[in-house]
Amino acid sequence: MKKNDFLLILCVLVLAGGVFLWNNLVRGDAGGEAVVYVDGEVYASYPLNEERELVIETEYGKNFLIIKDGKADMTEADCPDGLCVKQHSIYKTGQTIVCLPHRVVVEVEGGQANELDGMTQ
């Protein structure tokens, strides 16, 4: 490998890193709203651009939802498995957080489009 080969590889890596940072950090504000469903019915809807801490209390249990920095994240739940807490925060249209024991679904609607096409979804 010659000196120019290393420079080409370095340029490609820097460009790829820049694109990654732009997509994940700089672009930021996705807009949209977090829609909370309980038993398939709309429970509430909250804009992602307003920070808030919420308690979703149903007959099945409690879930704690935090909306911060344009993302919605389930931070606590009193369900037995706690899988909803382990899911990542959501901010793109179509992303969901699901708590099956409490029959709660949080879905982002009207925000930044998901980058997957119909074949990969």
Side-chain angles (χ1 to χ4, degrees):
M1 293 185 69
K2 298 180 182 178
K3 181 179 178 182
N4 288 339
D5 294 333
F6 286 115
L7 286 175
L8 178 64
I9 292 170
L10 180 64
C11 288
V12 168
L13 289 176
V14 168
L15 181 64
V19 169
F20 175 80
L21 289 176
W22 175 259
N23 281 333
N24 293 307
L25 301 177
V26 177
R27 227 171 34 174
D29 190 62
E33 56 187 18
V35 180
V36 180
Y37 296 91
V38 177
D39 269 339
E41 300 291 324
V42 175
Y43 176 84
S45 179
Y46 306 100
L48 289 176
N49 58 4
E50 296 177 11
E51 294 187 5
R52 60 180 74 208
E53 295 182 13
L54 307 161
V55 177
I56 303 166
E57 195 165 354
T58 68
E59 62 184 273
Y60 310 107
K62 288 184 187 177
N63 293 72
F64 296 89
L65 180 70
I66 292 183
I67 298 176
K68 185 176 180 182
D69 298 328
K71 298 179 180 182
D73 189 25
M74 193 79 66
T75 57
E76 286 183 54
D78 60 3
C79 55
D81 59 7
L83 292 177
C84 55
V85 176
K86 296 175 185 173
Q87 296 178 28
H88 294 285
S89 57
I90 58 175
Y91 62 98
K92 292 183 181 178
T93 300
Q95 290 181 322
T96 60
I97 298 174
V98 179
C99 181
L100 287 177
H102 294 167
R103 301 179 187 174
V104 172
V105 175
V106 180
E107 182 175 7
V108 175
E109 295 181 359
Q112 180 179 338
N114 201 333
E115 296 163 0
L116 300 175
D117 62 14
M119 294 300 290
T120 56
Q121 288 181 359

